């Protein structure tokens, strides 16, 4: 199966971490994307071929483990990374690399013909695809730089659709003096990036997709003005919860437990801009707010002795738990099993994801005493597995990473037998900040993908599909057990969830949680559908057949649900 992914604009180092993660796996992916301005130096590059300080022209500079010299990547250039198991590789050495590169060249030559530019081809002695290769003025339109080892390919090609061609003036492109560089636009063709993406995916399906093809596309970002009221900082709407427009029917079980039976609520409609944004992502309608929750979304309430003891302890240490903040339906079960999730770094988030009932006002300074208090509470509560999470703190230079590390260390000091899981934001993709958390060696490193590629912009506009996969890949490379989570019922299809599971498996994710979306307020995303329990069961089979060690998937599953059991299983 060839897994084709259009990822939009992705910073070079994040794409590199993602590539490395997929390269270490055994699934076949073709990633297509654009990079912000960047110059990369291949293994045999001559640094003198970079003629200016890249920062002066707004570009980054990175070394790359690929063949070739210096090249430029930037907006308007279609970059492709085929991460494949290349047949006949063992012992083939150079011969197979040449054969593979010839294959990529031919694919691009065919794509260019499909896009309306004839007469492109190879220039002897110079890898890549050229316009007028036999003529007086050959000019390169696509560069190729690959790495093949252990039967796997990475890096790839860069096809110039309509980039800023002046950026090539600041280097000796590919180390080749005296030969030009061109683009479809420079050759007089106006081709949309989307059309180039489709053309490459179609040709690649023929070349590498003999066992089938599966495509996922992120939806492109648009102006902030298009974002939903909650995401634009206008705060939550009316709470979709018992107190104001919902009445709760409960039933007392023979063993004294209380079950939440059903609910009725007043009719409300989602904001017009949110509806427009969702429809851009192909999601229309959604369930009426008055729709009754199905049988399987009933939570059991068991306010037993252990639960009340833990609640008092949390209060006594002046701490917050996500379990309580998010009104998690599993709180009774988890606390009963000795697992709890602490919210550190304050309760005010610098983001506003469309499904999350969080306070988005200005965050407060960090509390230096909090790590020790959490550790003391863990010790006193006798927790066996503790999850540490936080809102996104984009206002902090390290995104709150140091506080995570300090809390892990403090718990290790006070409760050495407890296993520690961290559930972190993406730290805006900042490798140094992420490494601070990874170096604290949590037992489980959790970062949620949350939803499928197509819905990322609608659901978590401040985050990104490729960025989250890159965070997980980098954590895996650091030798950690990694975990991620998906929320379903927001407009995705089951096939898209399956494809996202493949991407998580591709970057070596060990544990995945999948649960039903429940709408917190009228300003949040509408529930698009109640996902059937059988579909959740199907995701366990799919995920574990792809090599994910444990998939916890059910309507009431949340990121930390049964977290201790999952960690112990691995
Ligand atoms: S970043 Fe996390 S805490 Fe903040 S809004 Fe999104 S899901 Fe909620």
């Amino acid at each position: 199966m060839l897994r084709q992914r259009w990822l939009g604009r992705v910073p070079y180092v994040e794409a590199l971490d993602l590539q490395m993660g997929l390269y270490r796996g055994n699934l076949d992916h073709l990633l297509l994307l654009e990079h912000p301005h960047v110059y990369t130096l291949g293994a045999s590059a001559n640094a003198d071929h970079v003629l200016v300080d890249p920062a002066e022209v707004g570009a980054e500079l990175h070394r790359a483990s690929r063949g070739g010299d210096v090249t430029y990547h930037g907006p308007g250039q279609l970059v492709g990374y085929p991460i494949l198991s290349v047949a006949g590789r063992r012992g083939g050495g150079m011969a197979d690399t040449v054969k593979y590169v010839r294959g990529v060249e031919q694919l691009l030559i065919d794509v260019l013909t499909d896009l309306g530019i004839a007469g492109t081809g190879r220039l002897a002695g110079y890898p890549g695809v050229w316009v007028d290769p036999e003529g007086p003025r050959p000019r390169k339109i696509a560069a190729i730089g690959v790495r093949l080892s252990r039967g796997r390919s990475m890096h790839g090609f860069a096809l110039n659709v309509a980039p800023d061609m002046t950026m090539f003036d600041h280097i000796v492109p590919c180390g080749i003096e005296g030969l030009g560089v061109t683009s479809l636009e420079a050759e007089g063709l106006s081709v949309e990036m989307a059309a180039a993406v489709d053309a490459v995916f179609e040709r690649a399906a023929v070349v590498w997709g003999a066992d089938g093809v599966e495509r996922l596309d992120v939806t492109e970002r648009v102006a902030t003005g298009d974002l939903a009221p909650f995401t634009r900082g206008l705060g939550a709407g009316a709470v979709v919860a018992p107190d104001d427009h919902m009445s709760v029917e409960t039933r007392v079980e023979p063993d004294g437990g209380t079950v939440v039976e059903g609910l009725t609520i007043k009719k409300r409609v989602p904001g017009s801009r949110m509806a427009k944004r969702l429809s851009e992502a192909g999601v229309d309608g959604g369930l009426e707010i008055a729709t009754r929750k199905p049988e399987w979304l009933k939570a059991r309430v068991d306010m037993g002795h252990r639960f009340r003891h833990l609640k008092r302890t949390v209060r006594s240490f002046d701490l917050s738990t996500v379990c309580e903040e998010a009104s998690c339906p599993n709180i009774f079960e988890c606390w009963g099993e000795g697992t709890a999730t602490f919210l550190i770094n304050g309760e005010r988030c610098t983001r506003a994801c469309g499904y999350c009932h969080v306070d988005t006002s200005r965050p407060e300074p960090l509390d230096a005493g909090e790590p020790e208090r959490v550790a003391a509470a863990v010790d006193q509560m006798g927790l066996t597995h503790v999850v540490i999470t936080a809102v996104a703190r984009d206002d902090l230079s390290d995104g709150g990473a140091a506080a995570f590390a300090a809390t892990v260390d403090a718990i290790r000091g006070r409760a050495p037998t407890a296993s520690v899981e961290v559930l972190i934001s993406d730290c805006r993709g900042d490798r140094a900040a992420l490494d601070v958390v990874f170096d604290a060696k949590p037992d489980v490193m959790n970062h949620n993908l949350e939803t499928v590629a197509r819905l990322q912009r609608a659901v978590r506009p401040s985050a990104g599909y490729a960025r989250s996969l890159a965070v997980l890949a980098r954590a895996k490379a650091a030798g950690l057990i990694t975990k991620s989570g998906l929320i379903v019922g927001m407009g995705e299809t089951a096939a898209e969830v399956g494809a996202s599971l493949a991407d998580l498996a591709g970057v070596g994710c060990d544990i995945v949680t999948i649960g039903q979306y429940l709408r917190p307020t009228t300003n949040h995303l509408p529930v698009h559908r109640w996902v059937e329990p059988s579909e959740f069961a199907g995701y366990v089979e799919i995920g574990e057949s792809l090599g994910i060690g444990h998939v916890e998937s059910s309507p009431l599953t949340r990121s930390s649900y049964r977290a201790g059991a999952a960690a112990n299983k691995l």
Side-chain angles (χ1 to χ4, degrees):
M1 169 76 77
L2 177 65
R3 300 173 198 282
Q4 302 185 328
R5 305 291 184 256
W6 164 244
L7 300 173
R9 186 82 49 87
V10 182
Y12 183 78
V13 290
E14 292 174 32
L16 191 57
D17 284 342
L18 172 52
Q19 277 197 76
M20 288 300 295
L22 295 171
Y23 168 79
R24 282 187 293 268
N26 57 13
L27 301 179
D28 286 354
H29 280 80
L30 171 57
L31 310 180
L32 292 185
L33 47 87
E34 287 178 286
H35 287 308
H37 296 302
V38 60
Y39 294 108
T40 67
L41 297 165
S44 56
N46 173 348
D48 296 340
H49 289 157
V50 180
L51 310 175
V52 297
D53 170 1
E56 283 171 19
V57 292
E60 294 180 354
L61 176 68
H62 294 284
R63 281 215 167 267
S65 59
R66 59 163 175 77
D69 200 293
V70 61
T71 193
Y72 161 74
H73 299 305
Q77 182 193 68
L78 179 56
V79 171
Y81 296 131
I83 318 293
L84 310 170
S85 293
V86 180
R89 171 79 184 83
R90 291 209 180 288
M94 223 21 227
D96 287 310
T97 304
V98 171
K99 182 169 159 243
Y100 173 71
V101 169
R102 291 281 168 274
V104 176
E105 286 170 343
Q106 190 56 49
L107 183 148
L108 293 171
I109 291 167
D110 296 339
V111 163
L112 287 163
T113 307
D114 296 342
L115 292 172
I117 183 169
T120 63
R122 297 178 180 86
L123 184 62
Y126 298 101
V129 178
W130 299 75
V131 173
D132 191 23
E134 312 299 329
R137 205 172 57 82
R139 44 208 183 276
K140 185 180 271 193
I141 193 164
I144 295 177
V146 301
R147 173 179 166 192
L148 247 63
S149 72
R150 297 182 310 104
R152 299 280 287 168
S153 65
M154 66 177 290
H155 297 292
F157 59 84
L159 173 60
N160 297 331
V161 178
D164 173 354
M165 295 305 290
T166 65
M167 294 301 282
F168 286 98
D169 300 339
H170 307 306
I171 56 172
V172 180
C174 301
I176 305 169
E177 305 273 3
L179 289 175
V181 181
T182 188
S183 68
L184 285 159
E185 184 182 50
E187 297 297 322
L189 279 96
S190 167
V191 175
E192 291 298 319
M193 184 56 79
V197 168
D198 290 346
V200 171
F201 276 154
E202 274 159 39
R203 284 287 176 178
V206 176
V207 178
W208 296 313
D211 304 335
V213 173
E214 169 202 82
R215 178 173 172 174
L216 272 189
D217 288 16
V218 299
T219 305
E220 285 309 307
R221 290 182 181 283
V222 296
T224 310
D226 271 348
L227 294 177
F230 176 72
T231 307
R232 283 193 290 117
L234 298 182
V239 171
V240 182
D243 45 25
D244 64 351
H245 46 260
M246 190 187 289
S247 61
V248 177
E249 294 96 37
T250 59
R251 183 181 75 241
V252 179
E253 298 281 274
D255 62 2
T258 310
V259 171
V260 176
E261 269 261 331
L263 53 102
T264 52
I265 52 180
K266 279 179 279 169
K267 183 164 181 40
R268 296 211 176 208
V269 292
S272 61
R273 288 191 177 188
M274 186 196 310
K276 175 174 170 288
R277 186 163 50 85
L278 283 173
S279 69
E280 277 165 8
V283 180
D284 288 309
L287 296 178
E288 292 300 330
I289 288 188
T291 307
R292 206 178 171 78
K293 280 188 194 169
E295 205 38 50
W296 57 76
L297 278 172
K298 289 181 180 159
R300 244 185 103 65
V301 177
D302 171 10
M303 299 196 191
H305 163 70
R306 181 161 169 74
F307 171 78
R308 290 196 303 274
H309 162 64
L310 296 189
K311 202 170 176 60
R312 276 196 303 276
T313 308
V314 170
R315 283 290 128 329
S316 69
F317 282 97
D318 186 23
L319 294 167
S320 306
T321 65
V322 170
C323 322
E324 297 164 294
E325 296 295 319
S327 313
C328 179
N330 303 313
I331 187 171
F332 312 108
E333 185 180 344
C334 292
W335 287 26
E337 286 174 0
T339 294
T341 301
F342 290 91
L343 186 65
I344 64 169
N345 296 354
E347 295 162 8
R348 297 176 180 172
C349 186
T350 48
R351 303 181 185 180
C353 303
Y355 56 86
C356 181
H357 198 188
V358 74
D359 179 352
T360 57
S361 49
R362 178 184 292 281
E364 292 168 340
L366 294 188
D367 169 354
E370 189 175 56
E372 272 311 319
R373 288 207 315 281
V374 170
V378 170
D379 182 26
Q380 193 164 315
M381 294 161 85
L383 297 178
T384 52
H385 186 78
V386 54
V387 182
I388 307 297
T389 190
V391 295
R393 291 297 304 258
D394 299 325
D395 59 312
L396 302 172
S397 60
D398 71 347
F404 268 101
T407 307
V408 172
D409 293 345
I411 294 169
R412 290 265 153 80
R414 292 287 297 260
T417 60
S419 52
V420 184
E421 175 174 329
V422 294
L423 171 50
I424 66 169
S425 82
D426 55 29
C427 296
R428 289 171 302 191
D430 178 341
R431 281 172 154 188
L434 292 167
D435 291 349
V436 167
V437 179
F438 301 163
D439 292 347
K441 298 286 179 222
D443 297 285
V444 177
M445 205 313 287
N446 190 350
H447 172 68
N448 285 334
L449 191 61
E450 304 292 9
T451 187
V452 300
R454 178 172 56 89
L455 298 187
Q456 290 280 329
R457 183 184 71 74
V459 169
R460 52 196 301 248
S462 307
Y465 195 75
R467 173 166 285 178
S468 288
L469 290 174
V471 168
L472 291 162
R474 194 168 178 80
K476 194 71 201 170
L480 301 175
I481 290 176
T482 57
K483 177 176 177 179
S484 190
L486 295 164
I487 307 170
V488 294
M490 296 193 284
E492 76 297 321
T493 65
E496 287 177 310
V497 175
S500 294
L501 282 170
D503 294 343
L504 290 169
V507 294
C509 200
D510 300 292
I511 305 169
V512 172
T513 59
I514 306 176
Q516 167 75 49
Y517 169 54
L518 294 175
R519 181 186 199 161
T521 83
T522 52
N523 268 5
H524 285 81
L525 295 164
V527 172
H528 197 255
R529 66 187 175 109
W530 302 123
V531 179
E532 301 270 343
S534 57
E535 190 174 324
F536 284 103
Y539 293 143
V540 175
E541 284 172 35
I542 294 169
E544 295 185 355
S545 70
L546 286 162
I548 297 171
H550 179 73
V551 178
E552 187 68 48
S553 174
S554 72
L556 287 175
T557 287
R558 296 291 175 268
S559 297
S560 312
Y561 183 51
R562 293 191 179 148
N568 293 338
K569 182 178 168 189
L570 290 167

